[in-house]
């Protein structure tokens, strides 16, 4: 299983073993990672799983859909590397992925 690291805004690191085929959001929720609320259950309707993907990993991800782009417009700290964790499927190619959570998500 791929290892993924979630870094909270305060620098706290949460390393999890993520099951391939599930979303990055599901991996965080299943491992009680604080800051990934997933209020909509992964339906791309709330942006409570907003993360910043390290630029080196961005090329390994499919581009955001129009729906994801729309939801990202509602985030307070949108950056070029912003994504919704519910829209990132975990694959073996993402082993070692590191994402950071914005300040507004505790």
């Amino acid at each position: 299983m791929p290892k993924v690291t979630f870094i909270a805004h305060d620098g706290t690191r949460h390393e999890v073993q993520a099951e391939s085929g599930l979303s990055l959001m599901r991996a965080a929720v299943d491992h009680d990672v604080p800051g990934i609320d997933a209020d909509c259950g992964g339906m791309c309707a709330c942006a409570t799983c907003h993360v910043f993907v390290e630029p080196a990993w961005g090329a390994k991800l499919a581009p955001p859909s129009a729906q994801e782009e729309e939801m990202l417009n509602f985030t307070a700290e949108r950056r070029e590397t912003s994504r919704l964790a519910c829209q990132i499927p975990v694959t073996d190619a993402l082993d070692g992925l590191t994402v950071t959570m914005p300040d507004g998500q505790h």
Side-chain angles (χ1 to χ4, degrees), residues 22-23 31 72 91:
L22 297 182
S23 70
H31 290 90
L72 286 167
T91 65

Side-chain angles (χ1 to χ4, degrees), residues 61-97:
L61 303 177
S65 67
Q67 183 179 7
E68 182 179 359
E69 287 284 354
E70 178 82 17
M71 289 310 306
L72 286 167
N73 287 331
F74 291 105
T75 63
E77 296 182 56
R78 185 170 185 177
R79 298 181 187 168
E80 188 175 318
T81 60
S82 288
R83 294 296 303 266
L84 298 181
C86 68
Q87 299 301 297
I88 300 174
V90 175
T91 65
D92 290 341
L94 296 183
D95 185 36
L97 173 67

